[in-house]
Amino acid sequence: MARSIELLLTENVENLGIVGDVVKVRLGYARNFLLPRELATEPSEELIKSLQAKRAEAEKLIAQQRAERASTIEKLSGYELHIERSCNDQGILYASVTQQEIASALNAAGFKNVRPRDVRLNEAIKRVDTYSIHVKFETELETNIKLWVMADRKLDLEEKEDMDFDMEGNLIEKS
């Protein structure tokens, strides 16, 4: 039995292809996702020719999206995003900052079409600090922004003097 099958895409499928592409996919993906949603069908010369107009329109739309993303990346270069979060006195956040929150903050700041999957975090953001965040739309469309995670209140970060205790747990006075 064949493990993969060739299908003609009747709609754009992200990370697979655009309308009119003949793609080779695993049998389960075809049977469980593409065919029930009518995103693909058996390829034939007549169908390929009938989808040419729809394919040209899809290519135009993709080129337009790429131009929009390129301008967004240009504007994002060197951008500094400020997020205020609640934390304890040591600057440790009660909840980490996620890709979703960063994407939402960027969209609210006027950078439309930034999706959570476009924000790449190389570490968990769990402290009040500055971070370099990688934003990548496509292979060549990427940039870094600076994220400032700030406390929602004034932190008490002054160094406290070490205390000494005796064996019974009593505080030893330093002279």
Side-chain angles (χ1 to χ4, degrees), residues 107-131:
N107 285 324
F111 299 103
K112 301 299 178 206
N113 69 17
V114 176
R115 303 171 299 188
R117 80 167 94 199
D118 298 331
V119 176
R120 312 288 169 91
L121 298 179
N122 55 359
E123 61 182 308
I125 300 175
K126 296 182 177 185
R127 299 188 67 85
V128 171
D129 203 355
T130 60
Y131 298 89

Side-chain angles (χ1 to χ4, degrees), residues 7-86:
L7 292 175
L8 172 69
L9 295 179
T10 56
E11 298 291 329
N12 293 342
V13 180
E14 197 165 337
N15 297 327
L16 186 59
I18 62 171
V19 175
D21 282 349
V22 177
V23 294
K24 197 169 208 168
V25 295
R26 302 285 279 199
L27 193 58
Y29 184 57
R31 182 179 51 232
N32 297 324
F33 182 76
L34 295 174
L35 295 174
R37 289 174 174 78
E38 297 177 359
L39 300 173
T41 186
E42 292 287 324
S44 69
E45 291 300 319
E46 304 85 44
L47 279 174
I48 292 173
K49 288 179 182 173
S50 70
L51 290 175
Q52 281 182 342
K54 198 172 181 182
R55 180 178 174 84
E57 185 178 316
E59 287 173 342
K60 200 184 312 180
L61 180 66
I62 288 172
Q64 179 185 356
Q65 283 178 339
R66 183 168 174 79
E68 287 174 5
R69 288 178 174 170
S71 70
T72 301
I73 286 292
E74 202 173 289
K75 292 175 191 170
L76 270 174
S77 288
Y79 184 73
E80 294 187 8
L81 180 64
H82 298 268
I83 293 181
E84 195 172 280
R85 299 294 301 266
S86 55

